[in-house]
Amino acid sequence: MIERLRPAPWAVLAAALLASGCMSLAPRHERPAPPVAERFAGDVEVPAGGPVASELAWQDFFGDERLRRLIGIALANNRDLRIAVLNIEQARAVHQIRRADEWPTVGAGVSASRQPNTNRSVGGITSLYTVGLAVTAYELDFFGRVRSLSDAALAQYLATEEARKTAQMSLVASVATGYLNLLADDALLDVTRRALATREESLKLTKLKFDHGAASEIDFRQAESLVESARVALAQQTRQRALDQNALVLLLGQPLPADLPPGLPAADQRLAAELPAGLPSEVLIRRPDVRAAEQQLIAANANIGAARAAFFPRISLTGSVGTASSELDGLFKSGSLAWSVAPQALLPIFDAGRNRANLEVAQVNRKIAVVQYERAIQSAFREVSDALAGRATLGEQLRAQQAQTRAEEARFRLADLRYRNGVASYLDVLDAQRALFASQQALVQTQALQAQNLVTLYRVLGGGWGP
């Protein structure tokens, strides 16, 4: 009879493993319909057939070797990106813990006990020594509670991975934008220095005329004021460049290396401008932030399943198999096999509404996750629409700004020539100098804005998270 009962612990354990996880009470995941239009706003004359941003590596998008080097440094050293990577490792470990809960924990146990014999007629001490394997409080997951918690942890892990991709996309775009800001600062400093040199030369001429009575003091003071205003602008631009460089250093996580390769000017960055937008339904599912929001929704569904399973009996199994003997030297002798199986079922009857409240919390969290997912889609839609609007208009704005600058340059030459020949007043020269300087500054800023908008378009279309 004893021989027939020996396989019982293994049969019970196998049956428990087969039955575990056979049911899930989590709602079925259905992706909410995107609350946006069918086409992007500002999607005018979008080129087709170009590379998809999400499949275009940042090394191929940026043509400036100096910028590519800076992005590589930032990806290796940036602390925010390191935090995102560590969050992934943490979420992976949590998922492994939840996944391990689906399997029994088997340990080796050794125990010894001595107690008085309950049979007074016999008397003496009763001893029991056991050695074997034990499974303690393994939950038989008939209603999917443990599996739901594991699914929630998996979705959280996948969400952190998508968050890491989003962080990398933002870092790549931020480094590129910071680099373009530095290029614009350098161009503005060059424009300001040239304007200062021109105004200093004009001041010398006006001073000479004033000394000889050919110009009034007001002309001289206006020329002097114009020189000082250029010096003010030069100091401001110098300070702004230092601030922009500090911001770039923070993104890099280290000082700017001294061995950087030569860079390209802001007007010739060789960016892959021909990026097709496509349909919102295609673009949005490629964005890591939208995918992360969907994973959070999946996790919320799984938590509802775990909360629902708490209303049902929780069945756990404790068992052991090994050898037992009243004497130490008899532990491994024939006939010393011993085993025990102790299942337990706990059905909640009164918990002061705790399980109901936990379910309500899980359901509300799912509603929040749905709203956050919809908000992520709407934000992504707006970002892409803004970038497309910039691409559709900045090119024409730049062409018009270039034409205006050429016209102001010609106007200044004519005004200066007329003033030198005594045909026009210095007010004409003063107005032409101011207009030319403002137009040159606007041209530099528009060139930088166009390049930065292309970087933004690349990011919002899902580019920049690859290796």
Side-chain angles (χ1 to χ4, degrees):
M1 182 64 179
I2 294 177
E3 294 298 326
R4 289 196 299 269
L5 292 177
R6 284 184 179 180
W10 311 112
V12 171
L13 183 58
L17 291 176
L18 290 174
S20 180
C22 61
M23 180 185 298
S24 175
L25 301 179
R28 181 179 179 181
H29 172 65
E30 295 182 1
R31 181 180 295 167
V36 293
E38 295 181 359
R39 297 187 62 84
F40 288 112
D43 189 2
V44 181
E45 297 182 358
V46 176
V52 177
S54 59
E55 300 174 359
L56 181 64
W58 59 265
Q59 296 92 335
D60 298 326
F61 178 77
F62 299 103
D64 191 330
E65 182 59 33
R66 187 183 184 93
L67 175 55
R68 287 200 292 260
R69 173 79 180 280
L70 292 175
I71 293 175
I73 293 173
L75 292 178
N77 297 323
N78 184 265
R79 269 50 179 184
D80 290 334
L81 190 59
R82 287 186 183 180
I83 292 173
V85 173
L86 292 175
N87 286 336
I88 293 175
E89 295 180 5
Q90 181 188 49
R92 182 188 295 116
V94 171
H95 173 244
Q96 289 175 346
I97 293 172
R98 292 299 187 186
R99 189 73 178 88
D101 290 341
E102 299 182 34
W103 297 89
T105 300
V106 181
V110 178
S111 66
S113 65
R114 290 172 61 84
Q115 62 183 9
N117 198 320
T118 57
N119 190 344
R120 295 182 179 181
S121 62
V122 177
I125 302 297
T126 300
S127 301
L128 181 63
Y129 304 94
T130 62
V131 175
L133 302 178
V135 175
T136 304
Y138 169 60
E139 182 174 346
L140 304 181
D141 198 24
F142 289 111
F143 303 101
R145 189 188 73 88
V146 178
R147 182 58 183 271
S148 293
L149 293 176
S150 177
D151 291 342
L154 175 61
Q156 293 286 353
Y157 160 62
L158 296 176
T160 56
E161 172 62 25
E162 299 298 342
R164 196 276 308 169
K165 294 177 182 178
T166 301
Q168 177 172 324
M169 290 166 52
S170 298
L171 178 60
V172 170
S174 296
V175 171
T177 300
Y179 177 70
L180 293 172
N181 283 335
L182 277 184
L183 294 181
D185 292 336
D186 291 336
L188 287 173
L189 282 171
D190 181 64
V191 168
T192 305
R193 292 190 183 103
R194 286 190 283 111
L196 178 59
T198 301
R199 293 179 182 187
E200 286 176 338
E201 182 182 352
S202 181
L203 176 61
K204 292 178 182 179
L205 176 61
T206 306
K207 179 66 166 58
L208 182 62
K209 286 188 173 185
F210 173 67
D211 292 340
H212 291 82
S216 65
E217 184 177 359
I218 190 171
D219 289 345
F220 170 68
R221 296 305 177 188
Q222 286 174 335
E224 188 179 36
S225 175
L226 209 60
V227 169
E228 297 304 326
S229 68
R231 288 174 179 165
V232 169
L234 182 61
Q236 291 174 337
Q237 292 298 333
T238 303
R239 180 175 65 254
Q240 186 60 49
R241 191 192 187 284
L243 296 178
D244 289 340
Q245 180 169 316
N246 292 339
L248 183 59
V249 167
L250 177 62
L251 292 173
L252 297 182
Q254 68 170 55
L256 289 174
D259 59 343
L260 289 174
L264 299 174
D268 188 25
Q269 276 299 297
R270 301 176 187 174
L271 302 177
E274 303 300 312
L275 294 175
L279 298 176
S281 58
E282 299 172 352
V283 175
L284 298 180
I285 61 175
R286 292 196 293 260
R287 285 189 42 139
D289 57 336
V290 175
R291 293 202 297 265
E294 185 174 6
Q295 290 299 330
Q296 294 290 357
L297 177 55
I298 293 174
N301 281 336
N303 285 329
I304 290 178
R308 287 175 175 173
F311 288 90
F312 293 88
R314 185 176 299 182
I315 303 173
S316 61
L317 176 67
T318 298
S320 65
V321 60
T323 64
S325 175
S326 60
E327 301 291 339
L328 279 175
D329 57 1
L331 277 175
F332 301 102
K333 291 182 178 180
S334 176
S336 63
L337 176 66
W339 59 268
S340 66
V341 176
Q344 181 186 40
L346 179 62
L347 175 65
I349 297 176
F350 176 75
D351 61 0
R354 180 182 290 107
N355 286 339
R356 173 60 60 183
N358 285 334
L359 179 57
E360 291 178 358
V361 168
Q363 291 172 336
V364 171
N365 285 339
R366 183 188 182 279
K367 294 178 181 178
I368 293 174
V370 171
V371 175
Q372 290 175 335
Y373 174 77
E374 293 175 342
R375 184 179 63 180
I377 288 180
Q378 291 177 336
S379 298
F381 185 88
R382 188 265 175 92
E383 289 177 351
V384 175
S385 297
D386 288 349
L388 290 175
R391 182 171 66 177
T393 57
L394 281 171
E396 181 58 31
Q397 180 180 341
L398 179 60
R399 286 189 292 271
Q401 191 63 57
Q402 290 170 336
Q404 182 185 8
T405 302
R406 289 193 296 268
E408 293 296 346
E409 289 172 348
R411 176 191 171 195
F412 171 70
R413 288 195 300 268
L414 292 175
D416 185 62
L417 181 61
R418 286 167 58 84
Y419 174 70
R420 291 174 183 270
N421 289 279
V423 178
S425 68
Y426 189 70
L427 288 176
D428 294 337
V429 178
L430 179 66
D431 183 62
Q433 283 183 332
R434 287 175 175 170
L436 176 59
F437 184 43
S439 181
Q440 289 172 333
Q441 287 179 314
L443 177 59
V444 171
Q445 292 167 349
T446 304
Q447 289 173 338
L449 186 61
Q450 185 187 40
Q452 290 171 351
N453 183 76
L454 291 177
V455 172
T456 300
L457 180 62
Y458 175 62
R459 176 183 64 82
V460 299
L461 289 178
W465 59 264

